[in-house]
Amino acid sequence: NGENNTEEVMDGNPIKDSNWETIGMAPPAPRPNSLFSFGDINTIRDSSERGQKFLQPVNWSLSVANFILIAEYILKTETWLVLSQAKGGENNVTTHDINQHFTIPWTSGSGCSIALLLALHPGEVELMLSHSWSGSFKQTLAAIKTLVTMHFLSPETLMFFCAFSQYQAEDNISNGLTIQQQITMEPFDRVIEA
């Protein structure tokens, strides 16, 4: 059994410190098919109407409730546990880490961001979340939960969180967009103007 765990870790993704040096390996995070509206990734690959390029940036939205749902799922994985141990605590796991270990592997080959996998018909963004990619992901989640519980932000509010709203995989799939193509669409300006 220990050998299987070692193989899993070796097949995982490198854990990087703040200097981008490899400090360990994390096991692949299981893709939460039950959370995604399309379920199996092959359903998306077979669709000619799904993908980042078919929607304007103001529709690359996810509800606050779905952000919390996916973030809490991440925090329950073995991948999160290994990341937090390697980085010296849960508050040291960053959005960069989430992107490398969860967002990219879960969305690769789909052409869809996490936001577009979570909603069949995403609505227009109502909230732009500004955050540091090098900051604590867990603290970002705590801040959003505080907005809901203490400041009465509706869980149904549609938000833009770049790590989940933009397609991060950079795999040149036909229904997706590269990060540069998405930046050219000025998503931040368009979302703020909306």
Side-chain angles (χ1 to χ4, degrees):
N1 192 13
E3 288 179 14
N4 288 339
N5 289 339
T6 303
E7 285 178 28
E8 229 180 319
V9 170
M10 296 309 292
D11 289 340
N13 293 320
I15 301 169
K16 304 286 186 175
D17 65 12
S18 60
N19 297 316
W20 296 101
E21 298 290 329
T22 300
I23 58 172
M25 297 291 285
R31 187 173 185 280
N33 287 334
S34 62
L35 298 182
F36 294 148
S37 59
F38 279 96
D40 190 286
I41 195 95
N42 292 317
T43 305
I44 300 156
R45 285 189 184 126
D46 296 338
S47 172
S48 61
E49 298 175 11
R50 292 298 297 176
Q52 214 73 15
K53 79 176 190 180
F54 297 107
L55 292 170
Q56 291 299 310
V58 294
N59 295 105
W60 299 345
S61 64
L62 73 157
S63 69
V64 169
N66 276 343
F67 175 88
I68 292 169
L69 181 72
I70 202 78
E72 287 181 342
Y73 177 87
I74 286 169
L75 269 58
K76 293 177 185 171
T77 65
E78 181 185 359
T79 306
W80 172 266
L81 178 64
V82 171
L83 281 168
S84 61
Q85 289 172 345
K87 298 198 93 176
E90 291 184 332
N91 285 328
N92 297 325
V93 179
T94 68
T95 302
H96 288 293
D97 298 315
I98 299 305
N99 193 47
Q100 287 303 120
H101 293 274
F102 299 93
T103 303
I104 292 173
W106 288 350
T107 61
S108 183
S110 72
C112 295
S113 63
I114 283 183
L116 298 187
L117 292 175
L118 287 168
L120 285 171
H121 306 287
E124 196 166 293
V125 173
E126 302 167 291
L127 171 70
M128 168 78 160
L129 181 64
S130 180
H131 65 101
S132 167
W133 276 62
S134 297
S136 169
F137 180 77
K138 189 168 184 186
Q139 288 179 13
T140 300
L141 171 60
I144 294 199
K145 286 175 144 181
T146 298
L147 287 172
V148 171
T149 58
M150 302 286 288
H151 301 284
F152 308 108
L153 176 67
S154 170
E156 300 312 310
T157 300
L158 297 177
M159 63 184 276
F160 184 95
F161 180 75
C162 52
F164 291 171
S165 294
Q166 291 181 273
Y167 186 56
Q168 303 288 334
E170 293 285 273
D171 56 8
N172 295 315
I173 193 143
S174 64
N175 60 329
L177 295 170
T178 65
I179 292 172
Q180 185 55 52
Q181 288 169 324
Q182 292 171 87
I183 297 298
T184 301
M185 295 175 74
E186 301 178 330
F188 307 108
D189 293 342
R190 287 180 156 191
V191 164
I192 290 169
E193 288 172 4

